Amino acid sequence: MKAFILSFFFLTPFSLLAQTPEEYPVHPDAQVKEGVPKGEILKFTFENSKIFPGTWREYWVYVPAQYDASKPACVYVNQDGVQWQAPAVFDNLIHKKEMPVTIGVFVMHGRVKATTPDAALDRFNRSFEYDGLGDNYARFLLEELLPEVETKKTSDGRTIKLSKSGNDRAIGGSSSGAVCAFTAAWERPDAFSRVFSAIGTYVGLRGADRYHTLLRKYEPKPLRIFLQDGANDNNIYAGDWWMANQTIERSLIFSGYEVQHVWGEGAHNGKHGTAIFPDAMRYLWKDWPQPVKTGATKNPMLNDILLPNEGWQLVGEGYKFSEGPTSNAKGEVFFDDGPAGNIWKVSLDGKLTSFAKNSGNVYGQAFGPDGKMYAAAMNAKKVMVYSADGKAVKLADGFAGNDIVVANNGNTYVTNPSSDANVKSKVWLIRPNGEKVEVDNGLHFANGITLSPDQTLLYVADDHSHWVYSYSILPDGTLANKQKYYWIHAPDNFDDAGSDGLKTDRDGRLYVATRLGIQVCDQAGRVNAILPTPNGDVSNICFGGENFDILYATCGDKVYKRKVKVKGANAWDKPNKPTAPRL
């Protein structure tokens, strides 16, 4: 009982803000029943975190009587310690075979203890760990706490073995613990596929108010969610919990997720959540071990781009840092392993062969209308031109080029970022006669570069911001009308979007390689869709294949491809005017 009281201590300040008389009956499956085998509850502390350094925390492990140490058990992780009379609920539902044999891990938030507790407070990490977006807490569970749990034994000597499959793992919590549970599953659906959220804090404490928008833009993930909230929940400086939970539910439904809710009249406390917890567990574990499926989104852009049941496929792996993907007129794709200095070719049949070596740390490549490949060799401070036999000649030098695009008229544009924060980036124009002209300066870190399908606009990514700039191209190739035009989402654990490679499709959409994945914008500058990559990395992109309907992505040590409905716009090709956007 002591653990149960502790678990609600940190909800008290919010719960005082909106109190109404509440009576919820005790669920029959939350009561101790005669003849039902009782699980064991073990208590431990953990203070060796590297992800949340210096923190100390308590955690409890529930092991059901039916647990067989010869095989891994399913897992339920709960934030804020033991809640919901969960041990009794698990005893009853496991006994009735209404949920699988499940080990519960009930963990408190961390705190950094004061060196002089009589004179100073501990640093309470609850909001930092629970309310923020990003993968820190998921990593804490997967890399630190759950491996620690597996070092423990039950009182009768059984070793604890936890399933590593996301289909066998659920996670839940209350208030900030609920949004923390959702964030862990959102960041790592391969590790947690079932989420219980009671009075969830989907408001602006540390950015969770963005979820209702991100849910609608991301390609759906295989998650099943149970939501609970009440009409008298908090309504404070950070937002309205009651409205936020309903908004999250609408976003989940729009995006095709499996979601069920129970709404009530309750305030910011655990009364209603405790009353419905057994039914929530039944819903989350229904049909197990059948996997939770990915649903169908109503996002028009995602549906316009993606083919059903067509996911990412591995092209190659083992690279030091893959970059600079580009395609020739046949649809063959070339990319560089920058630090290694090797340029690779992907044939139409998917075969990988070496195209050139000792390229000089190329990060950007682009084919021109002459069928030759232009490459920005950063370390060599040269722009090289490769013929079909892999031999190169110098086009220009004197600056460290990063990314490159060659227009149908032969004009070449190259970004030239600086590693010195006090020196602003430049954009260079190299005319077909070799003349070099500085056409822009002032971006923090000019990175990816591409053209609109009609080749009247130049787009440049500022890696150290959340902007992609748009410029008008004048008849002489110089630039005008510079504008911070495309607003790009940035992750919570970085100060910028990390926008890198850029490409457009023939309909005018802009594809931006970012820290969050490939963000896809409409012509009006708005991110409509976000496509994560399998390993979470992406530096650059291009369209290849015979019909230019295969999206290639360089992702650190790997390269992936994915067949799509749309066709890429090739800068070396004849310009085409796309349909005007809806404003």
Side-chain angles (χ1 to χ4, degrees):
M1 187 64 183
K2 179 181 179 182
F4 181 81
I5 295 170
L6 280 173
S7 68
F8 284 100
F9 175 79
F10 293 97
L11 301 181
T12 302
F14 283 156
S15 65
L16 292 175
L17 296 173
Q19 288 286 1
T20 58
E22 297 175 61
E23 294 295 334
Y24 293 103
V26 177
H27 197 289
D29 288 322
Q31 302 178 46
V32 176
K33 296 182 180 180
E34 186 176 349
V36 174
K38 292 186 65 175
E40 180 179 21
I41 301 176
L42 309 167
K43 182 179 178 181
F44 306 99
T45 60
F46 182 70
E47 52 187 336
N48 298 316
S49 177
K50 294 181 180 178
I51 295 170
F52 301 121
T55 55
W56 172 94
R57 72 191 70 225
E58 297 174 306
Y59 70 95
W60 294 259
V61 179
Y62 161 86
V63 183
Q66 298 88 338
Y67 169 61
D68 178 358
S70 67
K71 53 186 177 182
C74 291
V75 183
Y76 173 81
V77 178
N78 197 85
Q79 281 55 245
D80 284 321
V82 180
Q83 297 176 310
W84 329 118
Q85 274 113 39
V89 172
F90 287 2
D91 285 343
N92 291 322
L93 296 188
I94 292 171
H95 177 66
K96 294 193 289 185
K97 300 187 185 308
E98 293 180 343
M99 67 180 283
V101 173
T102 301
I103 290 176
V105 180
F106 302 87
V107 57
M108 291 298 291
H109 66 84
R111 61 172 69 186
V112 178
K113 290 187 174 182
T115 54
T116 54
D118 292 338
L121 288 173
D122 295 344
R123 187 182 77 191
F124 298 101
N125 251 32
R126 186 173 187 267
S127 180
F128 176 70
E129 293 178 9
Y130 288 4
D131 291 318
L133 278 62
D135 67 352
N136 279 347
Y137 193 80
R139 289 178 49 235
F140 162 72
L141 292 177
L142 298 172
E143 298 172 18
E144 297 184 339
L145 188 70
L146 295 183
E148 168 79 6
V149 170
E150 290 192 296
T151 67
K152 308 302 181 184
K153 292 184 178 181
T154 62
S155 60
D156 61 6
R158 286 174 292 168
T159 57
I160 295 177
K161 295 181 180 179
L162 308 177
S163 173
K164 304 300 189 292
S165 169
N167 192 53
D168 297 341
R169 287 174 165 179
I171 188 167
S174 176
S175 185
S176 294
V179 76
C180 177
F182 179 82
T183 297
W186 173 258
E187 292 289 339
R188 292 296 302 274
D190 62 312
F192 301 100
S193 63
R194 307 162 196 272
V195 180
F196 174 64
S197 169
I199 54 173
T201 303
Y202 302 99
V203 297
L205 292 180
R206 288 181 181 264
D209 53 323
R210 287 176 277 172
Y211 268 134
H212 69 89
T213 298
L214 293 173
L215 272 164
R216 294 170 179 266
K217 295 184 178 184
Y218 265 85
E219 183 178 2
K221 305 179 183 186
L223 299 176
R224 180 182 295 161
I225 302 100
F226 190 101
L227 299 170
Q228 175 273 325
D229 199 31
N232 289 289
D233 203 345
N234 290 338
N235 186 8
I236 62 169
Y237 70 93
D240 185 327
W241 268 247
W242 169 233
M243 298 307 296
N245 274 268
Q246 294 177 80
T247 302
I248 281 289
E249 187 209 20
R250 288 179 63 83
S251 293
L252 288 165
I253 293 171
F254 174 89
S255 303
Y257 287 85
E258 285 190 67
V259 58
Q260 186 172 351
H261 75 269
V262 172
W263 304 141
E265 298 298 319
H268 200 78
N269 57 53
K271 295 179 181 179
H272 195 187
T274 301
I276 54 89
F277 185 71
D279 294 327
M281 289 298 102
R282 285 191 181 90
Y283 171 74
L284 292 178
W285 290 109
K286 69 176 182 176
D287 301 329
W288 182 89
Q290 293 297 317
V292 175
K293 297 180 180 179
T294 301
T297 181
K298 297 178 183 177
N299 181 317
M301 184 173 283
L302 283 172
N303 289 325
D304 287 345
I305 294 171
L306 300 180
L307 289 163
N309 304 314
E310 189 74 44
W312 292 100
Q313 299 177 23
L314 184 67
V315 175
E317 60 183 335
Y319 310 109
K320 291 186 177 180
F321 187 76
S322 58
E323 249 287 11
T326 187
S327 57
N328 63 16
K330 295 179 182 178
E332 298 169 323
V333 171
F334 298 73
F335 66 90
D336 193 88
D337 187 0
N342 298 320
I343 299 177
W344 294 90
K345 173 183 174 182
V346 186
S347 301
L348 295 180
D349 62 2
K351 183 179 179 181
L352 273 167
T353 56
S354 176
F355 175 71
K357 296 182 178 181
N358 302 316
S359 62
N361 208 14
V362 166
Y363 283 101
Q365 301 176 142
F367 275 88
D370 56 4
K372 297 179 181 180
M373 190 174 74
Y374 294 66
M378 179 171 283
N379 287 356
K381 295 186 177 181
K382 296 178 182 178
V383 176
M384 307 298 293
V385 182
Y386 285 84
S387 55
D389 59 5
K391 295 181 179 180
V393 297
K394 184 184 71 175
L395 174 66
D397 60 9
F399 65 91
N402 186 9
D403 210 347
I404 187 170
V405 66
V406 185
N408 177 259
N409 63 9
N411 281 341
T412 300
Y413 295 92
V414 187
T415 54
N416 173 204
S418 172
S419 57
D420 185 343
N422 296 316
V423 178
K424 297 298 184 180
S425 299
K426 297 178 181 179
V427 178
W428 295 92
L429 162 66
I430 306 171
R431 295 193 169 106
N433 62 4
E435 180 187 3
K436 186 175 67 176
V437 181
E438 180 185 322
V439 290
D440 184 69
N441 63 72
L443 272 64
H444 296 290
F445 194 93
N447 203 336
I449 189 167
T450 197
L451 295 164
S452 60
D454 56 22
Q455 302 197 16
T456 63
L457 299 172
L458 182 74
Y459 304 134
V460 179
D462 189 352
D463 183 282
H464 293 178
S465 75
H466 64 267
W467 294 105
V468 173
Y469 285 72
S470 176
Y471 306 77
S472 298
I473 300 175
L474 301 178
D476 65 354
T478 58
L479 306 178
N481 305 322
K482 179 179 180 179
Q483 181 71 58
K484 291 179 178 177
Y485 192 73
Y486 291 91
W487 186 94
I488 308 300
H489 290 281
D492 196 52
N493 53 339
F494 285 92
D495 295 327
D496 56 63
S499 300
D500 200 335
L502 306 177
K503 290 295 182 292
T504 54
D505 65 25
R506 293 182 63 83
D507 298 314
R509 303 178 192 89
L510 179 69
Y511 296 70
V512 187
T514 75
R515 300 188 194 279
L516 290 178
I518 301 169
Q519 301 192 41
V520 190
C521 308
D522 61 17
Q523 295 173 55
R526 304 165 295 198
V527 175
N528 281 217
I530 303 175
L531 311 177
T533 59
N535 69 349
D537 292 328
V538 59
S539 60
N540 215 326
I541 47 183
C542 80
F543 289 91
E546 186 176 3
N547 297 311
F548 302 99
D549 58 354
I550 300 176
L551 181 62
Y552 283 79
T554 51
C555 302
D557 65 335
K558 295 178 174 63
V559 177
Y560 295 100
K561 67 177 181 179
R562 184 173 190 173
K563 190 171 177 60
V564 291
K565 293 180 181 178
V566 298
K567 295 182 179 181
N570 295 304
W572 46 260
D573 203 357
K574 181 181 178 181
N576 77 280
K577 180 181 179 182
T579 304
R582 293 183 62 182
L583 303 179

